[in-house]
Amino acid sequence: MKTAIVTGATGMIASALIRELVRCGVRVYALCKPGDDRSDDFFASPLVTAIDADITALPQTAPQIDAKDGVLYHFAWLGTFGGVRDDVYLQNDNIRYTLDAVQLAHMTGCECVVTAGSQAEYGIREETLRPDTPVDPVTGYGIAKYAAEKLAGLYARNLGLRFCAVRILSVFGQKGNPNSIIMANLAKMLRGEKTSYTKGEQLWDFLHCDDAAKAFRLIGERGRDGACYPLGSGSPRLLRDYILAMRDTIDPALEVALGAIDYPPGQVMRLCADITALTADTGFMPDLTFEDGVRRTADWMKTRGVT
Protein backbone atom coordinates (compact mmCIF):
# COMPACT_ATOMS: atom_id res chain seq x y z
CA MET A 1 0.00 0.00 0.00
CA LYS A 2 1.44 3.33 -1.11
CA THR A 3 -1.63 5.54 -0.63
CA ALA A 4 -4.57 5.66 1.77
CA ILE A 5 -7.66 7.77 2.37
CA VAL A 6 -8.85 8.06 5.97
CA THR A 7 -12.26 9.56 6.74
CA GLY A 8 -12.98 10.90 10.23
CA ALA A 9 -9.24 11.53 10.41
CA THR A 10 -9.16 13.27 13.80
CA GLY A 11 -10.81 10.44 15.77
CA MET A 12 -8.93 8.17 18.15
CA ILE A 13 -8.29 5.13 15.95
CA ALA A 14 -8.15 7.12 12.71
CA SER A 15 -5.45 9.41 14.15
CA ALA A 16 -3.45 6.43 15.38
CA LEU A 17 -3.83 4.80 11.96
CA ILE A 18 -2.54 7.88 10.12
CA ARG A 19 0.49 7.97 12.39
CA GLU A 20 1.04 4.26 11.69
CA LEU A 21 0.69 4.75 7.93
CA VAL A 22 3.12 7.66 7.91
CA ARG A 23 5.60 5.56 9.87
CA CYS A 24 5.36 2.99 7.07
CA GLY A 25 5.87 5.60 4.35
CA VAL A 26 2.27 5.64 3.09
CA ARG A 27 0.86 8.82 1.53
CA VAL A 28 -2.36 9.72 3.37
CA TYR A 29 -5.31 11.88 2.43
CA ALA A 30 -6.79 12.80 5.82
CA LEU A 31 -10.45 13.77 5.43
CA CYS A 32 -11.37 16.02 8.34
CA LYS A 33 -14.60 17.60 9.44
CA PRO A 34 -14.25 21.36 8.92
CA GLY A 35 -13.26 22.97 12.20
CA ASP A 36 -11.81 19.83 13.77
CA ASP A 37 -8.60 20.18 15.78
CA ARG A 38 -5.58 19.39 13.60
CA SER A 39 -2.83 19.71 16.15
CA ASP A 40 -1.61 16.11 15.75
CA ASP A 41 2.02 15.98 14.71
CA PHE A 42 1.31 13.93 11.60
CA PHE A 43 -0.44 16.88 9.94
CA ALA A 44 3.02 18.42 9.54
CA SER A 45 4.26 15.41 7.57
CA PRO A 46 4.77 15.87 3.82
CA LEU A 47 3.05 12.49 3.44
CA VAL A 48 -0.25 13.83 4.81
CA THR A 49 -2.72 15.98 2.91
CA ALA A 50 -5.56 17.29 5.08
CA ILE A 51 -8.82 17.90 3.23
CA ASP A 52 -11.96 19.57 4.57
CA ALA A 53 -14.61 16.91 4.07
CA ASP A 54 -18.06 17.04 5.58
CA ILE A 55 -19.46 13.53 5.95
CA THR A 56 -22.48 14.57 3.89
CA ALA A 57 -20.32 15.34 0.83
CA LEU A 58 -17.48 12.81 0.69
CA PRO A 59 -17.56 12.19 -3.09
CA GLN A 60 -17.06 15.92 -3.69
CA THR A 61 -13.47 15.57 -2.42
CA ALA A 62 -12.51 13.20 -5.27
CA PRO A 63 -10.88 15.86 -7.51
CA GLN A 64 -8.33 16.55 -4.75
CA ILE A 65 -7.26 12.91 -4.39
CA ASP A 66 -5.17 10.47 -6.40
CA ALA A 67 -5.25 7.15 -4.59
CA LYS A 68 -4.61 4.64 -7.38
CA ASP A 69 -4.44 1.11 -5.93
CA GLY A 70 -4.81 2.60 -2.45
CA VAL A 71 -7.02 1.76 0.52
CA LEU A 72 -9.89 3.83 1.88
CA TYR A 73 -10.49 3.50 5.63
CA HIS A 74 -13.92 4.74 6.65
CA PHE A 75 -14.23 5.95 10.26
CA ALA A 76 -16.48 9.00 9.91
CA TRP A 77 -19.84 8.45 11.64
CA LEU A 78 -22.45 10.68 13.26
CA GLY A 79 -24.03 9.84 16.61
CA THR A 80 -21.55 7.46 18.21
CA PHE A 81 -22.19 8.31 21.89
CA GLY A 82 -25.20 8.89 24.10
CA GLY A 83 -28.88 8.96 23.23
CA VAL A 84 -28.29 9.77 19.55
CA ARG A 85 -27.19 6.17 19.10
CA ASP A 86 -30.91 5.47 18.88
CA ASP A 87 -31.74 8.40 16.61
CA VAL A 88 -32.98 6.20 13.79
CA TYR A 89 -33.03 8.90 11.12
CA LEU A 90 -29.49 10.01 11.94
CA GLN A 91 -28.20 6.45 12.02
CA ASN A 92 -29.94 5.71 8.73
CA ASP A 93 -28.09 8.69 7.19
CA ASN A 94 -24.80 7.08 8.23
CA ILE A 95 -25.56 4.12 5.99
CA ARG A 96 -25.76 6.40 2.96
CA TYR A 97 -22.55 8.19 3.97
CA THR A 98 -20.78 4.82 4.13
CA LEU A 99 -21.92 4.07 0.60
CA ASP A 100 -20.63 7.51 -0.40
CA ALA A 101 -17.23 6.49 1.02
CA VAL A 102 -17.23 3.40 -1.19
CA GLN A 103 -18.10 5.61 -4.15
CA LEU A 104 -15.20 7.92 -3.26
CA ALA A 105 -12.84 4.94 -3.16
CA HIS A 106 -13.91 3.94 -6.66
CA MET A 107 -13.69 7.50 -8.00
CA THR A 108 -10.13 7.98 -6.70
CA GLY A 109 -8.68 4.66 -7.87
CA CYS A 110 -8.57 2.74 -4.60
CA GLU A 111 -8.51 -1.04 -4.75
CA CYS A 112 -9.87 -1.68 -1.24
CA VAL A 113 -12.34 -0.31 1.32
CA VAL A 114 -12.08 -1.07 5.05
CA THR A 115 -15.01 -0.04 7.25
CA ALA A 116 -14.93 0.56 11.00
CA GLY A 117 -17.84 -1.32 12.53
CA SER A 118 -18.68 -2.13 16.13
CA GLN A 119 -19.28 -4.93 18.61
CA ALA A 120 -22.77 -3.37 18.84
CA GLU A 121 -23.56 -5.27 15.65
CA TYR A 122 -23.54 -8.50 17.64
CA GLY A 123 -25.94 -7.27 20.31
CA ILE A 124 -25.57 -8.80 23.78
CA ARG A 125 -23.76 -12.13 23.51
CA GLU A 126 -22.42 -14.51 26.13
CA GLU A 127 -19.77 -16.03 23.87
CA THR A 128 -16.49 -14.95 22.35
CA LEU A 129 -17.16 -12.89 19.24
CA ARG A 130 -16.03 -14.46 15.98
CA PRO A 131 -16.53 -13.50 12.33
CA ASP A 132 -19.38 -16.01 12.09
CA THR A 133 -21.05 -15.22 15.44
CA PRO A 134 -24.74 -14.45 14.72
CA VAL A 135 -25.60 -10.75 14.89
CA ASP A 136 -28.59 -9.33 16.76
CA PRO A 137 -28.03 -5.57 17.21
CA VAL A 138 -30.34 -3.89 19.71
CA THR A 139 -29.43 -0.21 19.25
CA GLY A 140 -29.97 2.06 16.29
CA TYR A 141 -26.20 2.48 16.14
CA GLY A 142 -25.58 -1.27 15.98
CA ILE A 143 -28.33 -1.83 13.42
CA ALA A 144 -26.98 0.94 11.20
CA LYS A 145 -23.39 -0.29 11.50
CA TYR A 146 -24.44 -3.77 10.40
CA ALA A 147 -26.59 -2.49 7.54
CA ALA A 148 -23.77 -0.18 6.42
CA GLU A 149 -21.31 -3.07 6.49
CA LYS A 150 -23.47 -5.36 4.38
CA LEU A 151 -24.55 -2.72 1.85
CA ALA A 152 -21.05 -1.29 1.53
CA GLY A 153 -19.71 -4.78 0.92
CA LEU A 154 -22.29 -5.34 -1.81
CA TYR A 155 -21.57 -1.96 -3.41
CA ALA A 156 -17.80 -2.53 -3.28
CA ARG A 157 -18.17 -5.93 -4.91
CA ASN A 158 -20.30 -4.43 -7.69
CA LEU A 159 -17.57 -1.82 -8.28
CA GLY A 160 -14.78 -4.40 -8.31
CA LEU A 161 -13.23 -3.30 -5.00
CA ARG A 162 -11.81 -5.52 -2.28
CA PHE A 163 -13.80 -5.03 0.92
CA CYS A 164 -13.08 -5.80 4.58
CA ALA A 165 -15.15 -4.99 7.66
CA VAL A 166 -13.78 -4.54 11.18
CA ARG A 167 -16.00 -4.84 14.26
CA ILE A 168 -14.23 -2.93 17.02
CA LEU A 169 -14.56 -3.96 20.67
CA SER A 170 -13.05 -1.96 23.54
CA VAL A 171 -10.28 0.28 22.22
CA PHE A 172 -8.74 2.93 24.47
CA GLY A 173 -5.89 5.41 24.25
CA GLN A 174 -4.94 8.87 23.12
CA LYS A 175 -8.02 10.92 22.14
CA GLY A 176 -10.33 8.27 23.58
CA ASN A 177 -13.85 9.03 24.81
CA PRO A 178 -13.30 10.84 28.14
CA ASN A 179 -16.45 9.19 29.54
CA SER A 180 -15.32 5.62 28.85
CA ILE A 181 -14.43 3.44 31.82
CA ILE A 182 -10.70 3.44 31.10
CA MET A 183 -10.30 7.11 30.18
CA ALA A 184 -12.54 8.49 32.93
CA ASN A 185 -10.98 6.44 35.70
CA LEU A 186 -7.44 6.88 34.43
CA ALA A 187 -7.96 10.64 34.68
CA LYS A 188 -9.16 10.24 38.28
CA MET A 189 -6.17 8.08 39.14
CA LEU A 190 -3.78 10.64 37.67
CA ARG A 191 -5.42 13.23 39.95
CA GLY A 192 -4.91 10.91 42.92
CA GLU A 193 -8.64 10.36 43.45
CA LYS A 194 -10.46 7.30 44.74
CA THR A 195 -12.23 5.30 42.02
CA SER A 196 -15.33 3.14 42.45
CA TYR A 197 -16.61 0.22 40.38
CA THR A 198 -18.88 -2.79 40.26
CA LYS A 199 -17.40 -6.11 41.37
CA GLY A 200 -15.61 -6.22 38.02
CA GLU A 201 -16.60 -9.77 37.13
CA GLN A 202 -17.08 -8.86 33.47
CA LEU A 203 -14.75 -10.63 31.04
CA TRP A 204 -13.64 -7.89 28.64
CA ASP A 205 -11.03 -7.35 25.98
CA PHE A 206 -9.23 -3.99 25.87
CA LEU A 207 -6.87 -3.00 23.06
CA HIS A 208 -4.77 0.15 22.82
CA CYS A 209 -5.47 2.39 19.83
CA ASP A 210 -1.91 2.04 18.49
CA ASP A 211 -2.41 -1.72 18.20
CA ALA A 212 -5.82 -1.14 16.64
CA ALA A 213 -4.10 1.11 14.09
CA LYS A 214 -1.62 -1.65 13.27
CA ALA A 215 -4.52 -4.06 12.75
CA PHE A 216 -6.29 -1.67 10.38
CA ARG A 217 -3.11 -1.12 8.36
CA LEU A 218 -2.56 -4.86 7.99
CA ILE A 219 -6.19 -5.46 7.04
CA GLY A 220 -5.89 -2.84 4.31
CA GLU A 221 -2.73 -4.50 3.03
CA ARG A 222 -3.60 -8.18 3.43
CA GLY A 223 -7.24 -8.57 4.46
CA ARG A 224 -9.26 -11.22 2.67
CA ASP A 225 -11.93 -9.87 0.34
CA GLY A 226 -15.34 -10.04 2.01
CA ALA A 227 -13.90 -10.80 5.43
CA CYS A 228 -15.27 -9.45 8.72
CA TYR A 229 -12.80 -9.20 11.60
CA PRO A 230 -13.77 -8.65 15.25
CA LEU A 231 -10.96 -6.56 16.75
CA GLY A 232 -9.63 -6.91 20.26
CA SER A 233 -6.48 -8.15 21.95
CA GLY A 234 -7.58 -11.77 21.84
CA SER A 235 -6.51 -12.08 25.49
CA PRO A 236 -9.49 -11.10 27.68
CA ARG A 237 -9.23 -10.47 31.41
CA LEU A 238 -11.70 -9.82 34.18
CA LEU A 239 -12.55 -6.13 34.45
CA ARG A 240 -11.32 -6.05 38.05
CA ASP A 241 -7.91 -7.30 36.85
CA TYR A 242 -7.75 -4.48 34.30
CA ILE A 243 -8.69 -1.96 37.00
CA LEU A 244 -6.07 -3.18 39.45
CA ALA A 245 -3.45 -3.29 36.70
CA MET A 246 -4.29 0.30 35.79
CA ARG A 247 -4.06 1.34 39.45
CA ASP A 248 -0.73 -0.44 39.95
CA THR A 249 0.67 1.16 36.79
CA ILE A 250 -0.24 4.67 37.97
CA ASP A 251 0.19 4.38 41.75
CA PRO A 252 -0.23 1.14 43.79
CA ALA A 253 -1.24 3.24 46.82
CA LEU A 254 -4.40 4.62 45.16
CA GLU A 255 -7.72 3.60 46.68
CA VAL A 256 -9.89 1.42 44.44
CA ALA A 257 -13.40 0.45 45.58
CA LEU A 258 -14.44 -2.72 43.79
CA GLY A 259 -18.05 -3.67 44.44
CA ALA A 260 -19.08 -0.17 45.50
CA ILE A 261 -21.43 0.18 42.52
CA ASP A 262 -24.25 -2.15 41.48
CA TYR A 263 -24.31 -3.59 37.98
CA PRO A 264 -26.59 -1.49 35.78
CA PRO A 265 -29.57 -3.13 34.03
CA GLY A 266 -28.44 -5.00 30.93
CA GLN A 267 -24.78 -5.06 31.99
CA VAL A 268 -22.64 -6.80 29.34
CA MET A 269 -20.70 -9.49 31.21
CA ARG A 270 -18.68 -10.87 28.31
CA LEU A 271 -17.08 -8.86 25.49
CA CYS A 272 -14.19 -10.75 23.93
CA ALA A 273 -12.81 -11.07 20.41
CA ASP A 274 -11.51 -14.17 18.67
CA ILE A 275 -8.74 -12.77 16.45
CA THR A 276 -7.70 -16.15 15.00
CA ALA A 277 -8.91 -15.30 11.48
CA LEU A 278 -7.40 -11.81 11.68
CA THR A 279 -4.03 -13.22 12.67
CA ALA A 280 -4.14 -15.97 10.03
CA ASP A 281 -5.03 -13.55 7.22
CA THR A 282 -2.84 -10.57 8.16
CA GLY A 283 -0.30 -11.66 10.77
CA PHE A 284 -1.69 -9.22 13.34
CA MET A 285 -0.80 -9.65 16.98
CA PRO A 286 -0.83 -6.83 19.55
CA ASP A 287 2.53 -5.30 20.43
CA LEU A 288 1.44 -3.57 23.65
CA THR A 289 0.31 -5.06 26.93
CA PHE A 290 -2.61 -3.38 28.65
CA GLU A 291 -0.15 -1.84 31.10
CA ASP A 292 1.96 -0.50 28.22
CA GLY A 293 -1.16 1.08 26.76
CA VAL A 294 -2.07 2.67 30.09
CA ARG A 295 1.39 4.22 30.38
CA ARG A 296 1.25 5.55 26.82
CA THR A 297 -2.22 6.97 27.37
CA ALA A 298 -1.31 8.50 30.73
CA ASP A 299 1.73 10.21 29.22
CA TRP A 300 -0.45 11.69 26.48
CA MET A 301 -3.04 12.88 29.01
CA LYS A 302 -0.36 14.59 31.08
CA THR A 303 1.14 16.40 28.10
CA ARG A 304 -2.29 17.51 26.91
CA GLY A 305 -3.46 18.55 30.37
CA VAL A 306 -6.60 16.43 30.11
CA THR A 307 -6.39 14.89 33.57
Side-chain angles (χ1 to χ4, degrees):
M1 174 177 35
K2 295 182 179 179
T3 310
I5 303 170
V6 181
T7 74
T10 58
M12 174 179 63
I13 301 177
S15 294
L17 173 61
I18 295 173
R19 192 169 287 107
E20 169 78 1
L21 293 171
V22 168
R23 183 186 66 81
C24 294
V26 177
R27 175 167 174 74
V28 180
Y29 293 94
L31 275 53
C32 309
K33 180 181 177 182
D36 273 0
D37 174 40
R38 301 181 192 182
S39 60
D40 288 287
D41 55 2
F42 57 72
F43 282 113
S45 169
L47 289 172
V48 176
T49 300
I51 298 174
D52 282 339
D54 191 276
I55 192 174
T56 64
L58 294 177
Q60 295 178 21
T61 64
Q64 304 175 64
I65 299 171
D66 178 9
K68 181 175 173 57
D69 297 327
V71 178
L72 184 145
Y73 295 95
H74 182 54
F75 291 95
W77 194 273
L78 301 177
T80 55
F81 302 115
V84 289
R85 286 167 66 96
D86 281 329
D87 182 332
V88 294
Y89 285 98
L90 178 65
Q91 297 301 339
N92 185 62
D93 286 341
N94 281 311
I95 299 170
R96 177 164 56 86
Y97 303 146
T98 302
L99 298 177
D100 286 346
V102 176
Q103 183 184 5
L104 175 62
H106 179 64
M107 294 170 69
T108 55
C110 289
E111 65 89 15
C112 177
V113 174
V114 180
T115 57
S118 169
Q119 53 83 18
E121 297 175 54
Y122 291 106
I124 299 175
R125 313 295 303 188
E126 293 300 326
E127 69 230 69
T128 298
L129 302 178
R130 299 178 173 85
D132 60 353
T133 298
V135 298
D136 186 20
V138 296
T139 64
Y141 174 77
I143 293 167
K145 281 287 189 181
Y146 181 63
E149 173 191 309
K150 302 306 289 185
L151 288 172
L154 174 62
Y155 191 23
R157 185 165 64 249
N158 290 342
L159 294 174
L161 302 175
R162 182 164 58 94
F163 177 82
C164 301
V166 184
R167 294 176 183 164
I168 302 165
L169 273 69
S170 302
V171 174
F172 73 101
Q174 303 88 288
K175 303 180 77 171
N177 176 9
N179 296 316
S180 67
I181 187 169
I182 295 297
M183 300 301 288
N185 287 286
L186 180 54
K188 289 180 179 179
M189 289 181 181
L190 290 171
R191 294 193 297 266
E193 298 177 6
K194 173 183 176 181
T195 53
S196 300
Y197 309 88
T198 66
K199 293 180 180 179
E201 300 162 311
Q202 305 94 311
L203 188 65
W204 281 1
D205 188 348
F206 287 104
L207 182 71
H208 189 266
C209 61
D210 290 344
D211 273 328
K214 175 187 172 185
F216 270 91
R217 174 179 62 80
L218 289 170
I219 291 167
E221 292 175 349
R222 310 173 190 174
R224 180 171 41 84
D225 184 27
C228 167
Y229 300 109
L231 179 58
S233 71
S235 301
R237 297 156 70 174
L238 293 177
L239 179 58
R240 64 169 174 260
D241 293 339
Y242 282 117
I243 291 166
L244 294 175
M246 183 164 61
R247 188 272 312 273
D248 291 346
T249 300
I250 301 304
D251 180 355
L254 287 171
E255 185 177 0
V256 167
L258 287 164
I261 300 173
D262 292 334
Y263 289 118
Q267 171 66 64
V268 176
M269 297 302 294
R270 187 181 182 94
L271 190 55
C272 316
D274 182 338
I275 63 171
T276 303
L278 173 59
T279 301
D281 289 350
T282 71
F284 170 74
M285 286 295 292
D287 291 325
L288 302 175
T289 64
F290 175 73
E291 291 82 356
D292 291 335
V294 167
R295 292 186 192 95
R296 191 168 293 189
T297 307
D299 288 344
W300 176 84
M301 295 173 77
K302 292 173 186 175
T303 60
R304 293 299 184 97
V306 294
T307 60

